[in-house]
Amino acid sequence: MSPHPGRPALRRRRLLPLAGAAAALALAAAGCGDDGAGNGGAPAVDPASAVVEYHFQDSSVPPEHHRSYTLTVEPSGARIVVDSYGDVLHDERAPVDDATWSQLIAAVEGVDGLGGGGADDCAGGTAHDLWVTDGEHGNDDPAIAAHVPVCGGDGREDADRVERAVRPALDLFDMETLLAAA
């Protein structure tokens, strides 16, 4: 079952660090087809066309406290939409500088494939979803994907890793204000 409503189940690929991307592509072209990630030498995500999406699904709490959000980041900018059970509370945009973009792209590699546990049906649980697409890797086949449900503490460590990976982009926004209770 797909962790993303309306999207098929995801196949996962690894993102190569930006510094090594050119070398890895040269090796792949030369016939050395494995980058060590087990993906058969698939090319890295193209940072020029990549899109990083992160969705935090809050636990079942009263609407005045419920804050789920979707963060979408591209080289040209970031957008965060905060909602309470589907009612949009905030929709903000921020510019993304080259340093933040590079840091984000490098960080998301480390969370590829995290999660997938069976806590999706946990009463009161949360979920952290991340996927990275580009011109080659579309929504149905993202280059990087993580789905981390958290239930009663189970999954918290992986969820923290996903949050740390997207922290450079979250820091573009005043999250304290955006997530404040009504």
Side-chain angles (χ1 to χ4, degrees):
M1 182 168 133
S2 173
H4 311 291
R7 295 183 184 197
L10 304 173
R11 292 185 317 184
R12 291 171 172 85
R13 292 193 180 131
R14 305 268 310 155
L15 172 70
L16 300 174
L18 293 177
L25 288 173
L27 286 174
C32 299
D34 190 1
D35 65 4
N39 63 6
V45 170
D46 178 3
S49 64
V51 177
V52 176
E53 292 186 65
Y54 170 67
H55 179 74
F56 169 73
Q57 179 64 46
D58 200 3
S59 60
S60 297
V61 294
E64 63 270 15
H65 299 286
H66 182 90
R67 298 294 181 269
S68 294
Y69 58 91
T70 300
L71 172 70
T72 306
V73 190
E74 301 176 66
S76 61
R79 177 182 182 202
I80 191 162
V81 178
V82 179
D83 73 87
S84 178
Y85 296 110
D87 293 331
V88 174
L89 304 174
H90 303 281
D91 185 344
E92 295 192 5
R93 295 178 186 272
V96 175
D97 61 40
D98 290 342
T100 300
W101 180 244
S102 295
Q103 185 180 8
L104 176 65
I105 291 295
V108 296
E109 176 190 26
V111 300
D112 186 35
L114 285 181
D120 282 331
D121 58 357
C122 174
T126 62
H128 304 257
D129 294 305
L130 174 89
W131 55 99
V132 181
T133 58
D134 67 4
E136 181 180 337
H137 305 97
N139 288 340
D140 294 338
D141 185 23
I144 294 174
H147 171 64
V148 182
V150 178
C151 184
D154 290 342
R156 182 74 259 163
E157 187 176 313
D158 284 350
D160 289 345
R161 287 181 59 196
V162 173
E163 284 187 11
R164 280 192 304 273
V166 297
R167 178 60 45 203
L170 288 173
D171 285 347
L172 298 171
F173 300 94
D174 181 354
M175 295 304 292
E176 187 173 321
T177 298
L178 293 175
L179 301 179

